Every structure is written in C-alpha cells, then in structure tokens.
C-alpha cells in the first residue's frame, strides 16, 4: 500500500487501515488472556490428585497437610504456573504468525485501490470543491513579510509606550515645579486681582542646602564634617583653589602644544588614526541605532539623540529660580 492509497482510505474511513487490523489482533489477544485466566482458575481450584499428582508410597515419609487435613503438593502450583505460561506464549506466537499473514492479505487485497483509479475517485465531501487557488490568496512569502511587519510594529509600540511614560513623568515634574513657583510668586490681593509678591528674605525662602548636601558636594567634602578636629569646608575654598589652578594649567598647555607638534609621527600613523576614527564612528553609530530601536535612547526631531540629564529636585529648582529672580531684579534696578 502506497501513501496515496493510505491517505485516500484514511480520509474515507476516518481511520487508518492498520488501526482496524490492530484492533482485530488486540481482540484476539484479549480472548487468549481470558481463556488462560479461566483455565488457571479451574486448574488451581481442582484437587491435585485429579490432575495426576501423588506422593511416593513409602513408609519413611509423611506427606504435608493443610489446616483441613488435605495433602499439600507444593510442586503442583509451580508446575501449573509454568505450564500456563508456556501455553500462553505458544498461543501468542501462533496468533502473531497467523495474523501477520492476515494483515498482509488484507492490505494487499481488501484495503487497496488500483493506481489507475486513484485520480478518478471522488469522495462525498469532495463534491463542489474548487481546488483552484485564488489570486488574492496569501503566499508563504507574503505571510512571512506580514509577520516581520507585525513584529516591528509591536517593537515600535513598546518603544513608543516607554517614551510616552518617560515624557509623562517629565511633564508631571515640570508641572509640579511650575505650580509651586506660581504659588510662591503670585497671590491675590484684597480686590481679587493678581499681584506679584516680592521675594522673601534669603534666610526663609531661599533654600541653598543642595549646595552642601548634594552627592557632588559630599564628594568635594563641601559642608561635610571630616573629623573631630576638622571643620566644614566652605564652598569658596574649593572655588578659590580651582580658579587659582587655571592659570598654571593654561601656561602648561601653552608649553606642551609646541612640543606636541614637534614630535615625530610614526609612519602610517595618520592612516591608522583615520581608520581608528572611522571604526569608532561606525561602532558609535551602530550602538546609537540599536539603542534607538530598543527605545533606550529616544531620538529628537532632527535625528539627534535626546540626552536626559539628572533629575532636579523641586527645592533645588525653586532656589535657582529665586536666585535668578534676585539677579534679574538687581539688573532692573541698575
């Protein structure tokens, strides 16, 4: 039986021909097992003497008996079990041999369709069935393309959702800062008109504690108690030291630039530097493209990445606004 015939018969019967033959063989095996079980029950219930078992008739041995006084034959049960097992094995081998021939005969002569008739057989559910493909039917290539588009759309959707969440967080922070600034800067007078309040005194409204309590200030040990015998380092100490070092650094740079230009360049250094720069730019562009695709680095309107700075605390923003307001007020007075 070839595959075409097997497929046709399976579609017609709704089961494979081999499954029918296997069911027949299994039914015969079940009948064998039932017969062996019934035979075993009958032989074990029969007296051993009726089955031909007997003890030796000599006066030197006394046969064993059970509680009822019946003679016990221990070898009888073992011999019966061995005999039943051999009978079961013999019947199984006979059934397998006979039904192998039965299977071959059935598959060759009953469950078969001539090859010249396969193309002409039409089943009942094949009527009015059109096998012509529609021109609008999707092809594997179009399905694969649509699947790729769907994956890219899902990826873009996730990226847009993450960017929207970040934008919402930034907008909420800005709104809270603006509302707090408007609350401090604008008040209602007795007539219900808006009036701009004057900045409060520095010791009450201007909170510059971030200059000494921020992580950067702690790294510079500004306002941090360094020990028992040490005092707080004022901010002017670090600022004065940095400003005092700037002229020395500028003079050192002026001295080193001519020496750097006079150094001999090795052969091929310019070409290797150009290749290194080109490779570095390529790697940075690929990394930036990957981060933009995964939504970790959102791109601006002109294609340049948006670098999100550190989060500014509300008190720090209010203090900076107060300082800006005081400076602007002084300029206006001048």
């Amino acid at each position: 039986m070839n595959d075409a015939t097997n497929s046709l018969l399976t579609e017609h019967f709704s089961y494979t021909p081999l499954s029918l033959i296997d069911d027949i063989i299994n039914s015969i095996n079940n009948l064998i097992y039932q017969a062996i079980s019934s035979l075993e029950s009958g032989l074990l219930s029969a007296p051993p003497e009726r089955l031909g078992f007997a003890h030796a008739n000599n006066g030197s041995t006394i046969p064993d008996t059970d509680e009822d006084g019946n003679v016990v034959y221990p070898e009888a049960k073992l011999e019966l079990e061995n005999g039943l097992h051999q009978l079961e094995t013999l019947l199984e081998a006979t059934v397998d041999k006979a039904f192998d021939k039965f299977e071959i005969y059935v598959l060759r002569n009953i469950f078969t369709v001539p090859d010249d008739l396969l193309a002409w057989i039409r089943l009942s559910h094949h009527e009015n069935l059109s096998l012509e493909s529609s021109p609008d039917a999707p092809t594997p290539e179009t399905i694969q393309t649509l699947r790729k588009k769907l994956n890219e759309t899902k990826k873009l959707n996730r990226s847009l959702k993450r960017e929207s969440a970040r934008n919402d967080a930034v907008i909420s922070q800005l709104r809270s800062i603006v509302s707090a600034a408007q609350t401090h800067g604008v008040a209602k007078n007795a007539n219900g008109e808006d009036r701009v309040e004057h900045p409060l005194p520095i010791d009450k409204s201007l909170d510059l504690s971030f200059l000494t309590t921020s992580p950067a200030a702690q790294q510079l040990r500004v306002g941090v108690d360094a020990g028992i015998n040490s005092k707080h380092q004022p901010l002017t100490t670090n600022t004065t030291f940095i400003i005092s070092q700037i002229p020395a650094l500028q003079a050192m740079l002026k001295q080193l630039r001519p020496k750097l230009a006079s150094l001999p360049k090795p052969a091929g250094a310019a070409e290797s530097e150009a290749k290194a720069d080109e490779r570095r730019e390529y790697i940075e562009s690929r990394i930036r493209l990957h981060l933009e695709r995964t939504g970790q680095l959102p791109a601006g309107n002109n294609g340049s990445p948006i670098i999100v700075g550190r989060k500014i605390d509300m008190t720090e923003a209010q203090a900076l606004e107060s300082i800006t307001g005081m400076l602007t007020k002084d300029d206006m007075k001048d």
Side-chain angles (χ1 to χ4, degrees), residues 181 183-187 195-202 204-206 322 325-326 329 333:
T183 303
H184 287 287
V186 179
R195 61 181 180 86
V196 180
E197 291 184 346
H198 296 288
L200 296 176
I202 296 177
K204 293 183 179 180
S205 63
L206 187 58
S322 301
M326 289 190 300
K329 183 178 180 181
K333 288 181 179 180

Side-chain angles (χ1 to χ4, degrees), residues 66-100:
D66 55 6
E67 297 178 355
D68 298 333
N70 298 323
V71 179
V72 177
Y73 298 91
E75 69 279 3
K77 184 176 181 181
L78 180 60
E79 187 172 349
L80 288 175
E81 290 178 353
N82 290 334
L84 291 173
H85 177 68
Q86 293 176 3
L87 178 61
E88 182 179 359
T89 304
L90 178 61
L91 291 176
E92 287 179 350
T94 304
V95 168
D96 291 340
K97 183 177 180 180
F99 278 90
D100 285 342

Side-chain angles (χ1 to χ4, degrees), residues 64-332:
D64 296 333
T65 58
D66 55 6
E67 297 178 355
D68 298 333
N70 298 323
V71 179
V72 177
Y73 298 91
E75 69 279 3
K77 184 176 181 181
L78 180 60
E79 187 172 349
L80 288 175
E81 290 178 353
N82 290 334
L84 291 173
H85 177 68
Q86 293 176 3
L87 178 61
E88 182 179 359
T89 304
L90 178 61
L91 291 176
E92 287 179 350
T94 304
V95 168
D96 291 340
K97 183 177 180 180
F99 278 90
D100 285 342
K101 297 178 181 179
F102 171 76
E103 179 179 354
I104 295 173
Y105 176 81
V106 169
L107 292 178
R108 286 183 178 179
N109 299 280
I110 299 177
F111 292 115
T112 182
V113 177
D115 294 338
D116 55 348
L117 295 179
L118 283 174
W120 300 95
I121 294 178
R122 184 178 64 181
L123 302 178
S124 59
H125 58 276
H126 289 169
E127 295 181 0
N128 301 325
L129 181 63
S130 177
L131 300 179
E132 296 180 358
S133 60
S134 175
D136 299 333
T139 60
E141 291 78 9
T142 57
I143 293 175
Q144 187 67 19
T145 304
L146 291 175
R147 186 178 289 111
K148 290 181 179 179
K149 289 182 179 179
L150 179 60
N151 293 333
E152 294 297 331
T153 304
K154 289 182 178 179
K155 187 186 299 182
L156 179 60
N157 188 17
R158 291 193 296 267
S159 176
L160 292 177
K161 285 183 178 179
R162 289 194 295 266
E163 186 174 357
S164 177
R166 287 194 297 268
N167 293 337
D168 292 340
V170 173
I171 290 173
S172 62
Q173 293 176 6
L174 294 177
R175 285 178 178 174
S176 61
I177 293 173
V178 171
S179 62
Q182 291 178 354
T183 303
H184 287 287
V186 179
K188 298 287 185 179
N189 56 13
N191 298 328
E193 297 178 353
D194 294 341
R195 61 181 180 86
V196 180
E197 291 184 346
H198 296 288
L200 296 176
I202 296 177
D203 56 347
K204 293 183 179 180
S205 63
L206 187 58
D207 186 9
L208 301 178
S209 60
F210 68 92
L211 295 176
T212 58
T213 58
S214 62
Q218 293 179 3
Q219 291 180 359
L220 295 175
R221 305 189 64 80
V222 177
V224 179
D225 193 359
I228 300 175
N229 299 325
S230 62
K231 298 181 180 180
H232 296 291
Q233 297 182 5
L235 184 62
T236 55
T237 302
N238 295 278
T239 307
T240 305
F241 175 75
I242 293 172
I243 294 174
S244 64
Q245 296 298 319
I246 290 177
L249 293 174
Q250 291 177 349
M252 190 177 296
L253 287 175
K254 290 180 180 179
Q255 294 177 2
L256 292 177
R257 281 199 183 101
K259 295 180 180 180
L260 181 62
S262 62
L263 290 176
K265 294 184 178 180
E271 184 178 357
S272 61
E273 289 179 359
K275 291 183 179 180
D277 294 339
E278 183 179 356
R279 178 174 177 79
R280 191 181 302 108
E281 291 178 359
Y282 173 75
I283 293 174
E284 290 179 356
S285 63
R286 300 305 299 178
I287 293 174
R288 187 181 299 107
L289 180 61
H290 173 71
L291 294 177
E292 290 178 0
R293 287 180 176 177
T294 56
Q296 301 179 13
L297 185 64
N301 296 329
N302 56 354
S304 60
I306 299 175
I307 306 300
V308 182
R310 67 180 182 89
K311 182 179 179 181
I312 300 176
D313 191 46
M314 185 183 297
T315 57
E316 184 176 350
Q318 292 175 358
L320 293 175
E321 288 179 356
S322 301
I323 294 174
T324 305
M326 289 190 300
L327 295 176
T328 306
K329 183 178 180 181
D330 294 338
D331 294 339
M332 292 176 62

